[in-house]
PDB file of all heavy atoms in Angstrom:
ATOM      1  N   MET D 280     -10.777  -9.396  18.072  1.00 62.00           N
ATOM      2  CA  MET D 280     -10.916  -9.982  16.750  1.00 62.00           C
ATOM      3  C   MET D 280      -9.761 -10.956  16.507  1.00 62.00           C
ATOM      4  O   MET D 280      -8.600 -10.579  16.576  1.00 62.00           O
ATOM      5  CB  MET D 280     -10.896  -8.864  15.707  1.00 62.00           C
ATOM      6  CG  MET D 280     -10.998  -9.351  14.299  1.00 62.00           C
ATOM      7  SD  MET D 280     -11.172  -7.953  13.189  1.00 62.00           S
ATOM      8  CE  MET D 280      -9.856  -8.294  12.091  1.00 62.00           C
ATOM      9  N   THR D 281     -10.084 -12.176  16.236  1.00 75.00           N
ATOM     10  CA  THR D 281      -9.050 -13.167  15.954  1.00 75.00           C
ATOM     11  C   THR D 281      -8.983 -13.425  14.458  1.00 75.00           C
ATOM     12  O   THR D 281     -10.007 -13.509  13.783  1.00 75.00           O
ATOM     13  CB  THR D 281      -9.338 -14.484  16.683  1.00 75.00           C
ATOM     14  OG1 THR D 281     -10.591 -14.991  16.226  1.00 75.00           O
ATOM     15  CG2 THR D 281      -9.382 -14.284  18.180  1.00 75.00           C
ATOM     16  N   LEU D 282      -7.783 -13.529  13.947  1.00 81.00           N
ATOM     17  CA  LEU D 282      -7.593 -13.803  12.534  1.00 81.00           C
ATOM     18  C   LEU D 282      -7.157 -15.249  12.362  1.00 81.00           C
ATOM     19  O   LEU D 282      -6.207 -15.699  12.992  1.00 81.00           O
ATOM     20  CB  LEU D 282      -6.515 -12.879  11.950  1.00 81.00           C
ATOM     21  CG  LEU D 282      -6.842 -11.394  11.900  1.00 81.00           C
ATOM     22  CD1 LEU D 282      -5.647 -10.615  11.394  1.00 81.00           C
ATOM     23  CD2 LEU D 282      -8.032 -11.144  11.008  1.00 81.00           C
ATOM     24  N   ASP D 283      -7.855 -15.971  11.507  1.00 94.00           N
ATOM     25  CA  ASP D 283      -7.408 -17.321  11.200  1.00 94.00           C
ATOM     26  C   ASP D 283      -6.385 -17.255  10.063  1.00 94.00           C
ATOM     27  O   ASP D 283      -6.124 -16.195   9.503  1.00 94.00           O
ATOM     28  CB  ASP D 283      -8.581 -18.229  10.845  1.00 94.00           C
ATOM     29  CG  ASP D 283      -9.436 -17.675   9.722  1.00 94.00           C
ATOM     30  OD1 ASP D 283      -9.260 -16.498   9.383  1.00 94.00           O
ATOM     31  OD2 ASP D 283     -10.268 -18.422   9.184  1.00 94.00           O
ATOM     32  N   TRP D 284      -5.801 -18.369   9.706  1.00 92.00           N
ATOM     33  CA  TRP D 284      -4.695 -18.369   8.735  1.00 92.00           C
ATOM     34  C   TRP D 284      -5.149 -17.927   7.354  1.00 92.00           C
ATOM     35  O   TRP D 284      -4.379 -17.330   6.602  1.00 92.00           O
ATOM     36  CB  TRP D 284      -4.029 -19.745   8.692  1.00 92.00           C
ATOM     37  CG  TRP D 284      -4.892 -20.834   8.089  1.00 92.00           C
ATOM     38  CD1 TRP D 284      -5.761 -21.630   8.742  1.00 92.00           C
ATOM     39  CD2 TRP D 284      -4.929 -21.199   6.716  1.00 92.00           C
ATOM     40  NE1 TRP D 284      -6.358 -22.486   7.860  1.00 92.00           N
ATOM     41  CE2 TRP D 284      -5.861 -22.246   6.602  1.00 92.00           C
ATOM     42  CE3 TRP D 284      -4.275 -20.757   5.577  1.00 92.00           C
ATOM     43  CZ2 TRP D 284      -6.155 -22.857   5.392  1.00 92.00           C
ATOM     44  CZ3 TRP D 284      -4.578 -21.366   4.364  1.00 92.00           C
ATOM     45  CH2 TRP D 284      -5.499 -22.397   4.280  1.00 92.00           C
ATOM     46  N   GLN D 285      -6.410 -18.165   6.988  1.00 94.00           N
ATOM     47  CA  GLN D 285      -6.898 -17.754   5.668  1.00 94.00           C
ATOM     48  C   GLN D 285      -6.975 -16.236   5.554  1.00 94.00           C
ATOM     49  O   GLN D 285      -6.668 -15.668   4.515  1.00 94.00           O
ATOM     50  CB  GLN D 285      -8.259 -18.380   5.397  1.00 94.00           C
ATOM     51  CG  GLN D 285      -8.160 -19.887   5.233  1.00 94.00           C
ATOM     52  CD  GLN D 285      -9.421 -20.591   5.668  1.00 94.00           C
ATOM     53  OE1 GLN D 285     -10.209 -20.027   6.429  1.00 94.00           O
ATOM     54  NE2 GLN D 285      -9.604 -21.814   5.204  1.00 94.00           N
ATOM     55  N   SER D 286      -7.373 -15.578   6.624  1.00 93.00           N
ATOM     56  CA  SER D 286      -7.433 -14.114   6.619  1.00 93.00           C
ATOM     57  C   SER D 286      -6.038 -13.517   6.516  1.00 93.00           C
ATOM     58  O   SER D 286      -5.831 -12.532   5.799  1.00 93.00           O
ATOM     59  CB  SER D 286      -8.114 -13.604   7.884  1.00 93.00           C
ATOM     60  OG  SER D 286      -9.434 -14.050   7.943  1.00 93.00           O
ATOM     61  N   ILE D 287      -5.080 -14.115   7.201  1.00 94.00           N
ATOM     62  CA  ILE D 287      -3.704 -13.623   7.153  1.00 94.00           C
ATOM     63  C   ILE D 287      -3.129 -13.785   5.751  1.00 94.00           C
ATOM     64  O   ILE D 287      -2.499 -12.873   5.208  1.00 94.00           O
ATOM     65  CB  ILE D 287      -2.841 -14.347   8.198  1.00 94.00           C
ATOM     66  CG1 ILE D 287      -3.324 -13.979   9.606  1.00 94.00           C
ATOM     67  CG2 ILE D 287      -1.374 -14.013   8.028  1.00 94.00           C
ATOM     68  CD1 ILE D 287      -2.720 -14.806  10.708  1.00 94.00           C
ATOM     69  N   VAL D 288      -3.382 -14.936   5.124  1.00 94.00           N
ATOM     70  CA  VAL D 288      -2.898 -15.163   3.758  1.00 94.00           C
ATOM     71  C   VAL D 288      -3.560 -14.188   2.783  1.00 94.00           C
ATOM     72  O   VAL D 288      -2.897 -13.609   1.915  1.00 94.00           O
ATOM     73  CB  VAL D 288      -3.144 -16.630   3.331  1.00 94.00           C
ATOM     74  CG1 VAL D 288      -2.852 -16.831   1.864  1.00 94.00           C
ATOM     75  CG2 VAL D 288      -2.293 -17.567   4.171  1.00 94.00           C
ATOM     76  N   ALA D 289      -4.849 -13.964   2.920  1.00 95.00           N
ATOM     77  CA  ALA D 289      -5.557 -13.038   2.033  1.00 95.00           C
ATOM     78  C   ALA D 289      -5.027 -11.613   2.175  1.00 95.00           C
ATOM     79  O   ALA D 289      -4.808 -10.920   1.175  1.00 95.00           O
ATOM     80  CB  ALA D 289      -7.053 -13.081   2.314  1.00 95.00           C
ATOM     81  N   LEU D 290      -4.809 -11.165   3.404  1.00 95.00           N
ATOM     82  CA  LEU D 290      -4.277  -9.823   3.620  1.00 95.00           C
ATOM     83  C   LEU D 290      -2.854  -9.693   3.076  1.00 95.00           C
ATOM     84  O   LEU D 290      -2.494  -8.655   2.519  1.00 95.00           O
ATOM     85  CB  LEU D 290      -4.303  -9.477   5.109  1.00 95.00           C
ATOM     86  CG  LEU D 290      -5.686  -9.186   5.686  1.00 95.00           C
ATOM     87  CD1 LEU D 290      -5.602  -9.037   7.195  1.00 95.00           C
ATOM     88  CD2 LEU D 290      -6.279  -7.952   5.055  1.00 95.00           C
ATOM     89  N   THR D 291      -2.060 -10.739   3.202  1.00 97.00           N
ATOM     90  CA  THR D 291      -0.706 -10.716   2.669  1.00 97.00           C
ATOM     91  C   THR D 291      -0.725 -10.580   1.150  1.00 97.00           C
ATOM     92  O   THR D 291       0.033  -9.796   0.572  1.00 97.00           O
ATOM     93  CB  THR D 291       0.047 -12.001   3.077  1.00 97.00           C
ATOM     94  OG1 THR D 291       0.044 -12.087   4.495  1.00 97.00           O
ATOM     95  CG2 THR D 291       1.464 -11.989   2.567  1.00 97.00           C
ATOM     96  N   ILE D 292      -1.609 -11.315   0.493  1.00 98.00           N
ATOM     97  CA  ILE D 292      -1.721 -11.232  -0.967  1.00 98.00           C
ATOM     98  C   ILE D 292      -2.163  -9.837  -1.394  1.00 98.00           C
ATOM     99  O   ILE D 292      -1.638  -9.277  -2.355  1.00 98.00           O
ATOM    100  CB  ILE D 292      -2.682 -12.314  -1.491  1.00 98.00           C
ATOM    101  CG1 ILE D 292      -2.049 -13.690  -1.292  1.00 98.00           C
ATOM    102  CG2 ILE D 292      -3.041 -12.089  -2.946  1.00 98.00           C
ATOM    103  CD1 ILE D 292      -2.976 -14.843  -1.569  1.00 98.00           C
ATOM    104  N   VAL D 293      -3.113  -9.266  -0.667  1.00 97.00           N
ATOM    105  CA  VAL D 293      -3.590  -7.915  -1.000  1.00 97.00           C
ATOM    106  C   VAL D 293      -2.464  -6.898  -0.854  1.00 97.00           C
ATOM    107  O   VAL D 293      -2.255  -6.050  -1.735  1.00 97.00           O
ATOM    108  CB  VAL D 293      -4.798  -7.540  -0.110  1.00 97.00           C
ATOM    109  CG1 VAL D 293      -5.127  -6.059  -0.233  1.00 97.00           C
ATOM    110  CG2 VAL D 293      -5.994  -8.378  -0.494  1.00 97.00           C
ATOM    111  N   PHE D 294      -1.702  -6.970   0.217  1.00 98.00           N
ATOM    112  CA  PHE D 294      -0.615  -6.015   0.432  1.00 98.00           C
ATOM    113  C   PHE D 294       0.502  -6.190  -0.591  1.00 98.00           C
ATOM    114  O   PHE D 294       1.072  -5.211  -1.063  1.00 98.00           O
ATOM    115  CB  PHE D 294      -0.072  -6.109   1.856  1.00 98.00           C
ATOM    116  CG  PHE D 294      -0.983  -5.479   2.872  1.00 98.00           C
ATOM    117  CD1 PHE D 294      -1.406  -6.212   3.970  1.00 98.00           C
ATOM    118  CD2 PHE D 294      -1.419  -4.176   2.741  1.00 98.00           C
ATOM    119  CE1 PHE D 294      -2.247  -5.642   4.922  1.00 98.00           C
ATOM    120  CE2 PHE D 294      -2.260  -3.596   3.677  1.00 98.00           C
ATOM    121  CZ  PHE D 294      -2.669  -4.331   4.771  1.00 98.00           C
ATOM    122  N   LEU D 295       0.829  -7.421  -0.956  1.00 98.00           N
ATOM    123  CA  LEU D 295       1.863  -7.653  -1.967  1.00 98.00           C
ATOM    124  C   LEU D 295       1.428  -7.129  -3.331  1.00 98.00           C
ATOM    125  O   LEU D 295       2.230  -6.548  -4.068  1.00 98.00           O
ATOM    126  CB  LEU D 295       2.194  -9.149  -2.059  1.00 98.00           C
ATOM    127  CG  LEU D 295       2.959  -9.726  -0.878  1.00 98.00           C
ATOM    128  CD1 LEU D 295       3.120 -11.228  -1.037  1.00 98.00           C
ATOM    129  CD2 LEU D 295       4.318  -9.059  -0.741  1.00 98.00           C
ATOM    130  N   THR D 296       0.161  -7.317  -3.673  1.00 98.00           N
ATOM    131  CA  THR D 296      -0.353  -6.800  -4.937  1.00 98.00           C
ATOM    132  C   THR D 296      -0.337  -5.282  -4.939  1.00 98.00           C
ATOM    133  O   THR D 296       0.052  -4.655  -5.940  1.00 98.00           O
ATOM    134  CB  THR D 296      -1.784  -7.314  -5.171  1.00 98.00           C
ATOM    135  OG1 THR D 296      -1.780  -8.740  -5.104  1.00 98.00           O
ATOM    136  CG2 THR D 296      -2.306  -6.868  -6.524  1.00 98.00           C
ATOM    137  N   LEU D 297      -0.728  -4.666  -3.863  1.00 97.00           N
ATOM    138  CA  LEU D 297      -0.708  -3.209  -3.753  1.00 97.00           C
ATOM    139  C   LEU D 297       0.719  -2.674  -3.877  1.00 97.00           C
ATOM    140  O   LEU D 297       0.964  -1.687  -4.581  1.00 97.00           O
ATOM    141  CB  LEU D 297      -1.322  -2.776  -2.427  1.00 97.00           C
ATOM    142  CG  LEU D 297      -1.427  -1.284  -2.170  1.00 97.00           C
ATOM    143  CD1 LEU D 297      -2.349  -0.630  -3.188  1.00 97.00           C
ATOM    144  CD2 LEU D 297      -1.954  -1.041  -0.770  1.00 97.00           C
ATOM    145  N   ALA D 298       1.668  -3.333  -3.241  1.00 97.00           N
ATOM    146  CA  ALA D 298       3.062  -2.914  -3.330  1.00 97.00           C
ATOM    147  C   ALA D 298       3.576  -3.043  -4.761  1.00 97.00           C
ATOM    148  O   ALA D 298       4.298  -2.171  -5.251  1.00 97.00           O
ATOM    149  CB  ALA D 298       3.921  -3.744  -2.383  1.00 97.00           C
ATOM    150  N   ALA D 299       3.193  -4.102  -5.466  1.00 96.00           N
ATOM    151  CA  ALA D 299       3.620  -4.282  -6.851  1.00 96.00           C
ATOM    152  C   ALA D 299       3.066  -3.171  -7.744  1.00 96.00           C
ATOM    153  O   ALA D 299       3.777  -2.642  -8.604  1.00 96.00           O
ATOM    154  CB  ALA D 299       3.180  -5.647  -7.365  1.00 96.00           C
ATOM    155  N   PHE D 300       1.804  -2.803  -7.560  1.00 95.00           N
ATOM    156  CA  PHE D 300       1.211  -1.711  -8.350  1.00 95.00           C
ATOM    157  C   PHE D 300       1.905  -0.383  -8.066  1.00 95.00           C
ATOM    158  O   PHE D 300       2.149   0.404  -8.981  1.00 95.00           O
ATOM    159  CB  PHE D 300      -0.288  -1.584  -8.062  1.00 95.00           C
ATOM    160  CG  PHE D 300      -1.131  -2.572  -8.819  1.00 95.00           C
ATOM    161  CD1 PHE D 300      -2.033  -3.368  -8.139  1.00 95.00           C
ATOM    162  CD2 PHE D 300      -1.021  -2.709 -10.191  1.00 95.00           C
ATOM    163  CE1 PHE D 300      -2.824  -4.282  -8.822  1.00 95.00           C
ATOM    164  CE2 PHE D 300      -1.803  -3.617 -10.880  1.00 95.00           C
ATOM    165  CZ  PHE D 300      -2.703  -4.409 -10.190  1.00 95.00           C
ATOM    166  N   ILE D 301       2.228  -0.114  -6.823  1.00 93.00           N
ATOM    167  CA  ILE D 301       2.893   1.142  -6.471  1.00 93.00           C
ATOM    168  C   ILE D 301       4.294   1.197  -7.074  1.00 93.00           C
ATOM    169  O   ILE D 301       4.707   2.213  -7.633  1.00 93.00           O
ATOM    170  CB  ILE D 301       2.929   1.319  -4.941  1.00 93.00           C
ATOM    171  CG1 ILE D 301       1.515   1.578  -4.419  1.00 93.00           C
ATOM    172  CG2 ILE D 301       3.857   2.454  -4.535  1.00 93.00           C
ATOM    173  CD1 ILE D 301       1.405   1.576  -2.913  1.00 93.00           C
ATOM    174  N   ILE D 302       5.023   0.098  -6.996  1.00 92.00           N
ATOM    175  CA  ILE D 302       6.380   0.053  -7.556  1.00 92.00           C
ATOM    176  C   ILE D 302       6.338   0.242  -9.073  1.00 92.00           C
ATOM    177  O   ILE D 302       7.138   0.991  -9.638  1.00 92.00           O
ATOM    178  CB  ILE D 302       7.077  -1.267  -7.169  1.00 92.00           C
ATOM    179  CG1 ILE D 302       7.383  -1.260  -5.677  1.00 92.00           C
ATOM    180  CG2 ILE D 302       8.346  -1.480  -7.979  1.00 92.00           C
ATOM    181  CD1 ILE D 302       7.845  -2.605  -5.145  1.00 92.00           C
ATOM    182  N   ARG D 303       5.396  -0.398  -9.741  1.00 90.00           N
ATOM    183  CA  ARG D 303       5.282  -0.236 -11.197  1.00 90.00           C
ATOM    184  C   ARG D 303       4.914   1.192 -11.577  1.00 90.00           C
ATOM    185  O   ARG D 303       5.416   1.735 -12.561  1.00 90.00           O
ATOM    186  CB  ARG D 303       4.254  -1.203 -11.764  1.00 90.00           C
ATOM    187  CG  ARG D 303       4.751  -2.620 -11.839  1.00 90.00           C
ATOM    188  CD  ARG D 303       3.754  -3.519 -12.488  1.00 90.00           C
ATOM    189  NE  ARG D 303       3.709  -3.242 -13.927  1.00 90.00           N
ATOM    190  CZ  ARG D 303       2.846  -3.775 -14.749  1.00 90.00           C
ATOM    191  NH1 ARG D 303       1.945  -4.611 -14.306  1.00 90.00           N
ATOM    192  NH2 ARG D 303       2.865  -3.490 -16.029  1.00 90.00           N
ATOM    193  N   ALA D 304       4.036   1.819 -10.813  1.00 87.00           N
ATOM    194  CA  ALA D 304       3.618   3.184 -11.115  1.00 87.00           C
ATOM    195  C   ALA D 304       4.782   4.157 -10.923  1.00 87.00           C
ATOM    196  O   ALA D 304       4.941   5.100 -11.702  1.00 87.00           O
ATOM    197  CB  ALA D 304       2.443   3.583 -10.224  1.00 87.00           C
ATOM    198  N   LEU D 305       5.603   3.948  -9.910  1.00 86.00           N
ATOM    199  CA  LEU D 305       6.725   4.843  -9.654  1.00 86.00           C
ATOM    200  C   LEU D 305       7.854   4.637 -10.664  1.00 86.00           C
ATOM    201  O   LEU D 305       8.533   5.582 -11.035  1.00 86.00           O
ATOM    202  CB  LEU D 305       7.249   4.651  -8.234  1.00 86.00           C
ATOM    203  CG  LEU D 305       6.314   5.088  -7.126  1.00 86.00           C
ATOM    204  CD1 LEU D 305       6.905   4.752  -5.764  1.00 86.00           C
ATOM    205  CD2 LEU D 305       5.998   6.570  -7.225  1.00 86.00           C
ATOM    206  N   SER D 306       8.062   3.426 -11.119  1.00 81.00           N
ATOM    207  CA  SER D 306       9.167   3.167 -12.037  1.00 81.00           C
ATOM    208  C   SER D 306       8.841   3.601 -13.467  1.00 81.00           C
ATOM    209  O   SER D 306       9.743   3.826 -14.256  1.00 81.00           O
ATOM    210  CB  SER D 306       9.538   1.682 -12.022  1.00 81.00           C
ATOM    211  OG  SER D 306       8.497   0.903 -12.545  1.00 81.00           O
ATOM    212  N   ARG D 307       7.589   3.740 -13.817  1.00 65.00           N
ATOM    213  CA  ARG D 307       7.203   4.177 -15.158  1.00 65.00           C
ATOM    214  C   ARG D 307       7.549   5.637 -15.424  1.00 65.00           C
ATOM    215  O   ARG D 307       7.795   6.018 -16.539  1.00 65.00           O
ATOM    216  CB  ARG D 307       5.698   4.016 -15.342  1.00 65.00           C
ATOM    217  CG  ARG D 307       5.335   2.773 -16.043  1.00 65.00           C
ATOM    218  CD  ARG D 307       3.888   2.767 -16.386  1.00 65.00           C
ATOM    219  NE  ARG D 307       3.439   1.385 -16.347  1.00 65.00           N
ATOM    220  CZ  ARG D 307       2.203   1.010 -16.260  1.00 65.00           C
ATOM    221  NH1 ARG D 307       1.258   1.895 -16.184  1.00 65.00           N
ATOM    222  NH2 ARG D 307       1.890  -0.252 -16.237  1.00 65.00           N
ATOM    223  N   LYS D 308       7.546   6.465 -14.410  1.00 60.00           N
ATOM    224  CA  LYS D 308       7.716   7.899 -14.575  1.00 60.00           C
ATOM    225  C   LYS D 308       9.170   8.319 -14.770  1.00 60.00           C
ATOM    226  O   LYS D 308       9.424   9.462 -15.066  1.00 60.00           O
ATOM    227  CB  LYS D 308       7.145   8.628 -13.367  1.00 60.00           C
ATOM    228  CG  LYS D 308       5.662   8.450 -13.213  1.00 60.00           C
ATOM    229  CD  LYS D 308       5.155   9.174 -11.990  1.00 60.00           C
ATOM    230  CE  LYS D 308       3.672   8.967 -11.811  1.00 60.00           C
ATOM    231  NZ  LYS D 308       3.154   9.648 -10.646  1.00 60.00           N
ATOM    232  N   LYS D 309      10.125   7.410 -14.634  1.00 54.00           N
ATOM    233  CA  LYS D 309      11.523   7.809 -14.625  1.00 54.00           C
ATOM    234  C   LYS D 309      12.043   8.274 -15.984  1.00 54.00           C
ATOM    235  O   LYS D 309      12.565   9.356 -16.106  1.00 54.00           O
ATOM    236  CB  LYS D 309      12.385   6.659 -14.108  1.00 54.00           C
ATOM    237  CG  LYS D 309      12.251   6.454 -12.633  1.00 54.00           C
ATOM    238  CD  LYS D 309      13.186   5.391 -12.137  1.00 54.00           C
ATOM    239  CE  LYS D 309      13.021   5.218 -10.637  1.00 54.00           C
ATOM    240  NZ  LYS D 309      13.895   4.186 -10.117  1.00 54.00           N
ATOM    241  N   LYS D 310      11.925   7.448 -17.044  1.00 57.00           N
ATOM    242  CA  LYS D 310      12.486   7.792 -18.345  1.00 57.00           C
ATOM    243  C   LYS D 310      11.392   7.814 -19.408  1.00 57.00           C
ATOM    244  O   LYS D 310      11.083   6.788 -20.015  1.00 57.00           O
ATOM    245  CB  LYS D 310      13.568   6.782 -18.731  1.00 57.00           C
ATOM    246  CG  LYS D 310      14.770   6.829 -17.830  1.00 57.00           C
ATOM    247  CD  LYS D 310      15.837   5.871 -18.295  1.00 57.00           C
ATOM    248  CE  LYS D 310      17.031   5.944 -17.367  1.00 57.00           C
ATOM    249  NZ  LYS D 310      18.081   5.015 -17.767  1.00 57.00           N
ATOM    250  N   PRO D 311      10.816   8.979 -19.665  1.00 56.00           N
ATOM    251  CA  PRO D 311       9.727   9.026 -20.634  1.00 56.00           C
ATOM    252  C   PRO D 311      10.205   8.927 -22.087  1.00 56.00           C
ATOM    253  O   PRO D 311       9.450   8.565 -22.958  1.00 56.00           O
ATOM    254  CB  PRO D 311       9.085  10.384 -20.379  1.00 56.00           C
ATOM    255  CG  PRO D 311      10.182  11.202 -19.812  1.00 56.00           C
ATOM    256  CD  PRO D 311      11.037  10.251 -19.033  1.00 56.00           C
ATOM    257  N   GLY D 312      11.476   9.236 -22.338  1.00 62.00           N
ATOM    258  CA  GLY D 312      11.991   9.230 -23.698  1.00 62.00           C
ATOM    259  C   GLY D 312      12.522   7.879 -24.126  1.00 62.00           C
ATOM    260  O   GLY D 312      12.234   6.839 -23.542  1.00 62.00           O
ATOM    261  N   CYS D 313      13.314   7.935 -25.142  1.00 66.00           N
ATOM    262  CA  CYS D 313      13.918   6.747 -25.729  1.00 66.00           C
ATOM    263  C   CYS D 313      14.953   6.162 -24.770  1.00 66.00           C
ATOM    264  O   CYS D 313      15.546   6.857 -23.960  1.00 66.00           O
ATOM    265  CB  CYS D 313      14.565   7.165 -27.032  1.00 66.00           C
ATOM    266  SG  CYS D 313      15.660   5.969 -27.736  1.00 66.00           S
ATOM    267  N   GLY D 314      15.215   4.875 -24.901  1.00 64.00           N
ATOM    268  CA  GLY D 314      16.200   4.221 -24.072  1.00 64.00           C
ATOM    269  C   GLY D 314      17.602   4.443 -24.613  1.00 64.00           C
ATOM    270  O   GLY D 314      17.874   5.368 -25.371  1.00 64.00           O
ATOM    271  N   LYS D 315      18.532   3.591 -24.283  1.00 66.00           N
ATOM    272  CA  LYS D 315      19.916   3.733 -24.725  1.00 66.00           C
ATOM    273  C   LYS D 315      20.126   3.053 -26.063  1.00 66.00           C
ATOM    274  O   LYS D 315      19.575   2.001 -26.333  1.00 66.00           O
ATOM    275  CB  LYS D 315      20.850   3.097 -23.676  1.00 66.00           C
ATOM    276  CG  LYS D 315      20.779   3.765 -22.326  1.00 66.00           C
ATOM    277  CD  LYS D 315      21.685   3.056 -21.356  1.00 66.00           C
ATOM    278  CE  LYS D 315      21.569   3.689 -19.973  1.00 66.00           C
ATOM    279  NZ  LYS D 315      22.332   2.963 -18.991  1.00 66.00           N
ATOM    280  N   ASN D 316      20.971   3.648 -26.889  1.00 68.00           N
ATOM    281  CA  ASN D 316      21.395   3.072 -28.175  1.00 68.00           C
ATOM    282  C   ASN D 316      20.243   2.662 -29.065  1.00 68.00           C
ATOM    283  O   ASN D 316      20.230   1.578 -29.632  1.00 68.00           O
ATOM    284  CB  ASN D 316      22.323   1.872 -27.937  1.00 68.00           C
ATOM    285  CG  ASN D 316      23.597   2.268 -27.250  1.00 68.00           C
ATOM    286  OD1 ASN D 316      24.093   3.362 -27.446  1.00 68.00           O
ATOM    287  ND2 ASN D 316      24.123   1.382 -26.431  1.00 68.00           N
ATOM    288  N   CYS D 317      19.249   3.524 -29.222  1.00 68.00           N
ATOM    289  CA  CYS D 317      18.136   3.175 -30.094  1.00 68.00           C
ATOM    290  C   CYS D 317      18.398   3.604 -31.532  1.00 68.00           C
ATOM    291  O   CYS D 317      17.666   3.218 -32.439  1.00 68.00           O
ATOM    292  CB  CYS D 317      16.836   3.797 -29.585  1.00 68.00           C
ATOM    293  SG  CYS D 317      16.806   5.593 -29.726  1.00 68.00           S
ATOM    294  N   GLY D 318      19.408   4.442 -31.758  1.00 66.00           N
ATOM    295  CA  GLY D 318      19.742   4.868 -33.105  1.00 66.00           C
ATOM    296  C   GLY D 318      19.020   6.120 -33.560  1.00 66.00           C
ATOM    297  O   GLY D 318      19.220   6.577 -34.688  1.00 66.00           O
ATOM    298  N   CYS D 319      18.199   6.695 -32.739  1.00 68.00           N
ATOM    299  CA  CYS D 319      17.487   7.915 -33.138  1.00 68.00           C
ATOM    300  C   CYS D 319      18.361   9.142 -32.860  1.00 68.00           C
ATOM    301  O   CYS D 319      19.205   9.130 -31.993  1.00 68.00           O
ATOM    302  CB  CYS D 319      16.150   8.028 -32.401  1.00 68.00           C
ATOM    303  SG  CYS D 319      16.287   8.187 -30.630  1.00 68.00           S
ATOM    304  N   GLY D 320      18.132  10.211 -33.614  1.00 64.00           N
ATOM    305  CA  GLY D 320      18.887  11.445 -33.391  1.00 64.00           C
ATOM    306  C   GLY D 320      18.321  12.234 -32.233  1.00 64.00           C
ATOM    307  O   GLY D 320      17.174  12.079 -31.845  1.00 64.00           O
ATOM    308  N   LYS D 321      19.151  13.071 -31.657  1.00 58.00           N
ATOM    309  CA  LYS D 321      18.673  13.866 -30.516  1.00 58.00           C
ATOM    310  C   LYS D 321      17.889  15.003 -31.010  1.00 58.00           C
ATOM    311  O   LYS D 321      17.603  15.881 -31.220  1.00 58.00           O
ATOM    312  CB  LYS D 321      19.854  14.334 -29.682  1.00 58.00           C
ATOM    313  CG  LYS D 321      20.475  13.206 -28.945  1.00 58.00           C
ATOM    314  CD  LYS D 321      21.564  13.704 -28.030  1.00 58.00           C
ATOM    315  CE  LYS D 321      22.182  12.544 -27.272  1.00 58.00           C
ATOM    316  NZ  LYS D 321      23.235  12.947 -26.388  1.00 58.00           N
TER     317      LYS D 321
END
C-alpha cells in the first residue's frame, strides 16, 4: 500500500486532533473547584 502526500497530511491532521481532544479531556479533571483568589470562603 502506497500513501500519497494527501493521505499523509490527512492522517497527520486526524492524529493531531485526537491528541488535542485527549489533552483537553485529561486537563479538565485536575481542579474541579474554584481557582485561586476568587474571594469565596472555604
Side-chain angles (χ1 to χ4, degrees):
M280 179 173 126
T281 61
L282 294 176
D283 54 348
W284 69 271
Q285 292 150 339
S286 297
I287 294 170
V288 171
L290 287 173
T291 302
I292 292 171
V293 168
F294 285 126
L295 289 175
T296 305
L297 182 63
F300 279 128
I301 291 172
I302 290 170
R303 285 184 73 187
L305 292 176
S306 66
R307 262 189 212 162
K308 296 179 182 180
K309 287 184 180 179
K310 294 183 180 179
C313 167
K315 298 178 183 175
N316 297 328
C317 68
C319 63
K321 289 185 179 180

